[in-house]
Amino acid sequence: MPKIKTSKYDVAEHLRTPEDMAAYLEACIEEANGDSAFIAKGLGDIARAKGMSQVARDAGLSWESLYGQRSLKI
């Protein structure tokens, strides 16, 4: 039997448009069944896709202060 070769999949690489990001977050919320950690992971994926510098600018924060917020776990 031949070996199956796998590669790492990063959803953030595939979330290119605001519509993609919204659909992904909606799917995360539907699948979470009340698991806030699951939703937080989805938000983190979206933040990485958007770029953390852009997320910081949109939030009115510096890049450094956003990363200083360890409670966000992004």
Side-chain angles (χ1 to χ4, degrees), residues 2 5 7 10 12 16 20 27 37-38 42 48-52 59 63-64 69 73:
K5 194 172 192 175
S7 60
D10 185 359
R16 295 189 175 99
D20 292 343
F38 190 88
R48 284 186 308 103
K50 193 168 189 176
M52 295 306 289
W63 180 88
E64 294 84 4
Q69 301 297 318
K73 297 183 182 181

Side-chain angles (χ1 to χ4, degrees), residues 8-30:
K8 186 172 176 145
Y9 179 82
D10 185 359
V11 71
E13 294 175 6
H14 303 279
L15 299 173
R16 295 189 175 99
T17 67
E19 292 80 15
D20 292 343
M21 294 174 193
Y24 179 68
L25 182 58
E26 186 175 318
C28 287
I29 292 168
E30 288 175 8

